[in-house]
Structure formats: C-alpha cells, structure tokens
Amino acid sequence: MDNLSDALEKLKIASTDSATDSVESCLDCLLKALANNSTEASMKIHEMGVLPLFPTLLHPQSSCTPKVANIIAEVAKNEFMRSPCVEAGLIPPLVQLLNSTDQEVLLQTGRALGNICYDSHEGRSAVDLAGGAQIVAEHIKSLSQNTEPANEKLLTVFCGMLMNYSNDNDSLQAQLISMGVIPTLVRLLGIHSHNTALTEMCLIAFGNLAELESSKEQFASTNIAEELVHLFQKQMEHEKKEMIFEVLAPLAENDESMQKLFEGGKGSVFQRVLSWVPSHNHQLQLAGALAIANFARNDGNCIHMVDTGIVQKLLELLDRHVEEGNVTVQHAALSALRNLAIPVVNKSKMLSAGVADVVLKFLQSEMPPVQFKLLGTLRMLIDTQAEAADHLGTNGKLVERLVEWCEAKDHAGVMGESNRLLSALIRHSKSKEVVRTVIQGGGVKHLVTMATSEHMIMQNEALVALGLIAALDLVAAEKDLVGAGLVSVLHKLLSDERSAPEIKYNSMILICAVMGSEPLHKEVQSLAFINIVSKLRAHENKTVSHQASLTEQRLTAQS
C-alpha cells in the first residue's frame, strides 16, 4: 500500500504537467493495487483526493484514457465509491467518451458507467442528465448485426450498463422503452443466441422491462415469443431455461401479447408448446407445463384448453412422474391443472377426467412446493362440487395427511392451504360423514386455530366450517372444541373492533350452534358474552345487528 501512496502522490504531480509516461506507470500501479485489494485501494484513492484529477485525464485523444476508465470501473465496484465518483465530476467526461470509435475506450467506459449506476440513485441521475443512455442505446442498435467476439463483448457490457441504469426505476425503464430498446434487444437475441453471456444479459434486461405496462405494447409488436421459444429449445442448462420463463411469464400475464401467441388455441407458439408435454425430455415437459399454466390466465383460454383435451396430456405427464418424480415438472403440471380448474364449467369436466385421483398420487411427496400446488388444485376442483367434496372428505388418508400438514410450521404456504382444504371439504360437502372423518382425523383443533388467522378470508372459512361441525355432529366434536379453546377465540373475535362484519356474524351463529353442548354452554356463560352481543345490536351492518338480537335472545333464554 506504500507503493500506492507514492504512486498517488506522483500521479497528482504528473497529471498537471501531462507527462504521459509517468502517468501511465502510476496508473498501472493503481490497477495492480485494485486487483490486489479493491476496497483498501479505493479508500486510499478517495482519501488522497485523486478522483477529481481523472476528468482531465479522460481525454478522448489520450493514450491513458482506457486505463483511467478501467480504474474508475474497478473503483466503482465498491458501493461507497459511487457517490464520490459522481461528485468528482466523472460522469460528463465518461459520457463524452461514448462518442469515441476506439473499441477499448468504449468497453472500459461502458463498464465504468455501468458500475457507477449499479444501485446508485446519484449515478443514474447523473448519467440521465448527461444523456448517456441514448448514446449507448444507439450503439447497441448499430452494432447488433456484428457477431465478432470483441463486438459481442462490447454489446454485453452496454446491455449490462442499461440494465444497471434502469433497474428498479420505472421512469428510467419507461425512458429506455420510448427509445425503442425492446425491438433492439429482441434482434440481439435472434442474432447472438450462441453467445451465453450476451443472451443472459438480454434476458435480465427483458426481465426488468417486461414488468412495465408500456413495454407490453412493444413486446407484442416483436417476435419475442418465437425468439424465446427458439432459444429455449437450444438451451441445455436448467437455470437458463428458468430465466427465459421468467421473461415469458410477465408477458403472459399481459392479455394482448399472450392472446397473440394463443390465437384461440391455434397459435403456432402455443401448438409447439403443446407438443413438448408428451416429449421424453424433462426440460421440454417443464416448458410445456409452465406455458400451459401461463396461458391459463383467463377463463376463455382455460375453457378452450379443457375442451381440447389438454387435461389428459397433463395427467399422462404427471403419471410418468409419480415414480421417477422430477419435482419441477410435478410442480409445473399441478400449477397448470390448478389454473385450469378455476372456471366453474371446467370443474366437473376435470373431475370426470380423473384429475383428483391422479393428484392424490402425490400425497406422499415430501416436497413443499409440490404439496402446496397439490392442495391448491384439490381446493379449486371441489369448490361448489358437493359430490367431489364428499368423496374426498371421507378419504381418511387424505384427511390424515392434511392434519399432518396443518402443523408444517416451517412452510406457511402448505400449512395455510391444508387448513383451507380441510375447511373446504366440510363447507362444500355439508356432509355428516365428512365432518366425522375430520373429527376422527384430529382436524378440529386446526380449524379453531385457523379462525385466528390474520387473513380474514381464512378466518371466515374456518368459522363456517366450525358452524357446520357444530350443526352436524356437536356431540362428537365437543371434546375437541373445548380442548382447542373455541369459546375464548370467539370471545376475542367478537370483542375486537377490527373484526370484519362477516366474522362477527359467523362468530355469533357459532355461539348459538354450540349452546347445545353443556361444557361449551358453561364457558359461554362464564365469559359474559351477553355484554358484547348486546352492544352489537347497534352495529351499522344490518345483518350483524339482526344476528346480535337473535343471539341475545338465545343467550337470555338459556342462561
């Protein structure tokens, strides 16, 4: 580090009398020190006030310029150096250098600007002010056809710079979109699909831009989907395939671009994707299933796909993965089925096709993502389908597994979905047999806990299910309801100002329903419910106030 201090001192003197040779050797010493210990060297450069010397050294005609830009790029890898770089006035001269024709100067300048912009508001604002993004976007456009390795390296740096410039910043992303960056990036993907670093950079840049509404218009006007599908088929690595899908997904959420690919189920991209599902390649199967899940974002598409026999293809795919289970394929195929089961008209068709039976084959899975989707799929299927809810709700093995998953503290998603399915089996079947199966399986206490969830929809589902349990088989459930502290939970829900009207209403219905049980009745009396209930008679919601009057009469009559 002593050499570094000397070099920095020398640089201060040399930079004033423009002695190029001594400047060059000082710069070499700086680069060496940065390669050795970037943080320490950067601090020293900052402390000794060398950054403000750089603007004069960044002269388009100077032979030192690429080295100086390289030093700035290395220094700016440290977060604490980005604001000082801006304050030292480095951005305007760097942006000027973007007009150079020297490839090395452009490469190092692109790196320096990209690193200064990384996660730095000051850096981005300064580049924006100096008009740097426009010049870089034009470079990318004019260099896009050239496939020489050196040029591809420069394109990669420039794409990276734009990505750092606009990441997480809607207004700068919108600016790039209005410069027409999207069609240029799509072109790059097509021309340079053999270059891993460059395609990866394009994909990340797409991922950034694809979130914005205004980008969807531009994406829809390009052949992005065809390029991505083409790229996907050439990919070998799993990570890269996932990246491509992360870009396709937000585009898929956008109806015009997705519908354009779907074309009423006749679109060439959609057809190609379908042909992947029966393939023997796990990657293609995964892609097909994920794409179906994405196409299944609106009722029209879902209904069309179920009518054209996609369910059968997905079931055959799942069947192949019960034994040699590839978790990602299982997860994707279950996601697709779950989405397809949303429209009411699809439910009975999918149940007749045997979806529930195939899905149940994965009950033994130890993988939380698969468990989560399996639960969601079953819950969607039985919604409003009494017969199916009855059939599944009397399946002891299923209920036993649900109760087990209701305790999966490490996996909140699985825990929540298990509770919701348990409640749904009771709510949609309204069957004494199902209630009995849930009581025997030990599910009652979980439904009482679910009534205390922070999600109102889950609280409500739990209360309705508990109401049905109390109405259909209070005697069998009594012990569990007492053990789980149901009455004090209801007391809390009714006393809480923040409880929604439907929660208050269903809690009072449940109070009335449990009055037929002696131990529960005693608890109700000991907690002085009458006081809270009589207050609720003045509730602004008519349904709540009416139920409060009825509940009060019931409490008074039986006290």
Side-chain angles (χ1 to χ4, degrees), residues 327-345:
V327 176
T328 7
V329 175
Q330 292 173 0
H331 183 257
L334 288 167
S335 296
L337 287 172
R338 182 195 174 282
N339 291 358
L340 290 171
I342 294 172
V344 177
V345 291

Side-chain angles (χ1 to χ4, degrees), residues 71-83:
I71 290 170
I72 298 169
E74 291 303 319
V75 161
K77 283 180 179 173
N78 300 287
E79 191 183 353
F80 65 89
M81 290 298 285
R82 291 173 200 146
S83 293

Side-chain angles (χ1 to χ4, degrees), residues 18 27 31 67 100 102 139 151 163 188 206 211 226 232-233 257 280 292 317 350 408 434 485 494 510 516:
S18 58
L27 295 175
L31 280 168
K67 272 183 192 162
S100 163
D102 181 307
H139 272 305
N151 186 65
M163 186 184 81
L188 284 185
F206 280 137
E211 296 296 331
E226 282 85 345
F232 192 92
Q233 286 181 304
S257 47
H280 290 289
I292 291 171
L317 175 61
M350 290 175 72
V434 172
L494 284 172
L510 194 44

Side-chain angles (χ1 to χ4, degrees), residues 215-224 251 254 256-257 260:
S215 72
K216 313 253 162 100
E217 307 290 327
Q218 279 205 19
F219 274 120
S221 67
T222 66
N223 60 338
I224 176 79
L251 296 180
N254 168 258
E256 15 132 77
S257 47
K260 184 176 172 216

